[in-house]
Amino acid sequence: MTETPVHPALWPAPVASGAVDATVTVPGSKSVTNRALVLASLAAEPGWLRRPLRSRDTLLMAEALRALGVGIEEGVGPDGSGEAWRVIPAGLHGPATIDVGNAGTVMRFLPPVAALADGPVRFDGDPRSYERPLNGVIDALRTLGARIDDDGRGALPLTVHGGGALDGGRVRIDASSSSQFVSALLLSAPRFNQGVEVRHTGASLPSMPHIRMTVDMLRSVGAQVDEPETGGEPNVWRVSPSALLGRDLTVEPDLSNAQPFLAAALITGGKVTIPDWPERTTQPGDQLRRIFTEMGGSCELTERGLVFTGSGSIHGIDVDLSEVGELTPGIAAVAALADSPSTLRGVAHLRLHETDRLAALTKEINELGGDVTETADGLHIRPRRLHGGIFHTYDDHRMATAGSIIGLAVEGVQIENVATTAKTLPDFPRMWTEMLTGAGN
Ligand SMILES: O=C(O)C1=C[C@@H](OP(=O)(O)O)[C@@H](O)[C@H](O)C1
Ligand SMILES: C=C(OP(=O)(O)O)C(=O)O
């Protein structure tokens, strides 16, 4: 008898045998953790970061800041509860070398920090990091007084020749390819001699909640920020120079990483509870309450957390995802299993994410028998009966979770390199299996 060969890099996505009923504790937000690390490193006094996410993107951020001289130590928070990082700011030093991996937050948020260091800081990363846009940050930093050596493509690898301080001032950028350009300049701006005025000149600006998160977190450490949403000029952000406070911050669960678990409730007609879902948050994942409700579920924010319940039906959706682009792969996966077609719009910039997400989703869902077409700014998804096969992930954590969502309802889906979920959710395979077996409840 011959056994079916098991490829070590292929993970058989488990099929749900019935309605899931689980409580899933989701680790901390990548976006909050990496902003908090930067702000705490630039502060005038030590601070605490509780329940930080420990994943590839956040460990790269911590390692990079340590390379610049910041102390980031393991500890328990001031009240003795929970795991925490103590961040001890220090003079920022070069020479240093920073590995950004494929973390947008590291490759964009740290060049402005490096401009404040007193020597050269070399940035390098995964091959894909060379293809992701960085021109908005490079050009802006040059305008603000920094010296940067790159190969002229507006991308990695590059060296920022930190001069110990940066003038700052006014800058115009086109951030239509990534909101992280704006966030990057704002986060370090309190430490620029003149602060910053960033004027976005492009036709569109994706991921506004992530810019709100930047503004909120800056304000929470004492920075003064003027911005469009509180009466400022449209598309203009101003940050004044000031010292930043060291705070004691508890990181919220990553609501975008809650997505596959909520999707499991939707697809199986089950129920999933996510503890500690914040009542108020700038995280884009909070919009899943609305989007997945429109797709057939219902939810309630209770003392136990967000309780999300599937109805047994999954509906297609016509939705603009420009504010919440990182939710697209998971929504596309659910849409492929729905009872009507879907149109996902406003996400052309996803072609420059971890991989070209529009091409990858189209190819992988179609190879399982689906009918997805790319549009100029998104996807059109017509549900079909799907079959098993290999779901390639292109080193993209959200492709791996999207394939797993489909695998709940389709026999024989194998996820290639599920370990790529380590970018933001290293424990995904265990959490997924526990959700299905009811362990961890
Ligand atoms: O600032 C952030 O933390 C992020 C901003 C968004 O980037 P883009 O605006 O490049 O899409 C988002 O997709 C990414 O996952 C995280
Ligand atoms: C786009 C994403 O990540 P990054 O921070 O690398 O841009 C994402 O997590 O979906």
Side-chain angles (χ1 to χ4, degrees):
M1 199 174 89
T2 54
E3 284 186 21
T4 317
V6 181
H7 191 295
L10 294 180
W11 185 65
V15 176
S17 54
V20 300
D21 182 0
T23 296
V24 182
T25 301
V26 177
S29 156
K30 163 197 79 171
S31 293
V32 172
T33 301
N34 277 359
R35 281 169 174 73
L37 282 171
V38 170
L39 291 172
S41 300
L42 296 173
E45 55 192 358
W48 286 97
L49 193 53
R50 281 200 250 186
R51 291 204 226 156
L53 173 66
R54 291 159 196 272
S55 73
R56 184 171 187 229
D57 278 15
T58 60
L59 295 175
L60 284 169
M61 180 64 97
E63 224 20 73
L65 291 164
R66 285 188 185 115
L68 294 172
V70 177
I72 301 175
E73 297 170 358
E74 296 290 337
V76 279
D79 66 355
S81 69
E83 280 188 78
W85 275 332
R86 179 154 174 81
V87 182
I88 304 158
L92 298 167
H93 298 303
T97 300
I98 288 177
D99 175 9
V100 309
N102 188 11
T105 49
V106 183
M107 70 179 85
R108 281 135 185 176
F109 296 175
L110 288 189
V113 177
L116 299 166
D118 63 5
V121 183
R122 171 95 185 143
F123 286 82
D124 209 335
D126 293 359
R128 175 63 176 172
S129 72
Y130 291 18
E131 296 166 14
R132 298 188 67 185
L134 199 55
N135 55 319
V137 175
I138 297 172
D139 295 347
L141 283 177
R142 284 189 176 130
T143 305
L144 298 174
R147 185 155 77 82
I148 300 177
D149 285 338
D150 67 340
D151 63 10
R153 294 180 308 114
L156 287 170
L158 56 81
T159 300
V160 177
H161 294 275
L166 193 74
D167 291 341
R170 291 190 174 161
V171 70
R172 300 163 78 85
I173 61 169
D174 177 354
S176 48
S177 60
S178 176
S179 67
Q180 291 175 347
F181 296 172
V182 175
S183 290
L185 296 167
L186 302 186
L187 283 168
S188 289
R191 291 279 300 266
F192 301 166
N193 298 341
Q194 304 165 42
V196 87
E197 177 189 286
V198 178
R199 187 175 295 266
H200 164 64
T201 57
S204 58
L205 184 56
S207 317
M208 276 305 294
H210 279 114
I211 296 183
R212 272 177 223 132
M213 181 186 288
T214 299
V215 170
D216 255 38
M217 291 184 67
L218 273 161
R219 287 180 174 154
S220 76
V221 293
Q224 198 201 314
V225 189
D226 294 333
E227 41 104 25
E229 291 185 355
T230 45
E233 238 183 290
N235 291 317
V236 178
W237 290 262
R238 288 190 194 90
V239 179
S240 309
S242 71
L244 297 180
L245 307 168
R247 301 309 287 258
D248 177 356
L249 175 82
T250 302
V251 179
E252 300 169 355
D254 193 308
L255 306 186
S256 296
N257 276 339
Q259 182 182 37
F261 305 99
L262 301 179
L266 184 52
I267 282 166
T268 65
K271 184 169 91 176
V272 165
T273 301
I274 311 282
D276 301 318
W277 193 283
E279 256 175 55
R280 185 191 156 273
T281 178
T282 49
Q283 286 193 63
D286 197 36
Q287 295 193 29
L288 286 167
R289 293 197 278 159
R290 171 179 58 81
I291 295 168
F292 277 174
T293 298
E294 202 177 324
M295 296 186 87
S298 59
C299 64
E300 199 189 345
L301 202 47
T302 70
E303 278 186 359
R304 285 176 296 123
L306 184 77
V307 182
F308 186 82
T309 312
S311 62
S313 308
I314 313 164
H315 310 310
I317 189 167
D318 184 334
V319 65
D320 182 336
L321 296 177
S322 55
E323 288 222 334
V324 295
E326 68 180 18
L327 303 179
T328 306
I331 293 170
V334 173
L337 303 169
D339 57 15
S340 60
S342 291
T343 303
L344 313 185
R345 311 171 187 280
V347 284
H349 70 293
L350 263 62
R351 297 193 165 95
L352 294 166
H353 271 186
E354 279 81 335
T355 185
D356 176 340
R357 286 180 166 164
L358 301 186
L361 287 163
T362 303
K363 180 160 188 297
E364 296 310 312
I365 296 174
N366 287 351
E367 287 200 348
L368 300 182
D371 183 1
V372 180
T373 43
E374 270 187 64
T375 64
D377 74 338
L379 297 174
H380 195 51
I381 303 168
R382 287 159 297 265
R384 295 277 179 273
R385 175 179 285 281
L386 301 181
H387 54 71
I390 297 176
F391 196 92
H392 297 92
T393 58
Y394 310 89
D395 295 323
D396 183 347
H397 53 149
R398 299 199 202 279
M399 285 299 292
T401 47
S404 306
I405 292 170
I406 293 175
L408 285 176
V410 179
E411 291 278 352
V413 174
Q414 300 193 77
I415 310 297
E416 169 264 334
N417 190 18
V418 74
T420 196
T421 50
K423 187 174 192 285
T424 58
L425 193 57
D427 237 6
F428 173 74
R430 183 191 60 77
M431 292 171 70
W432 197 244
T433 310
E434 284 190 5
M435 170 191 73
L436 290 168
T437 56
N441 261 354

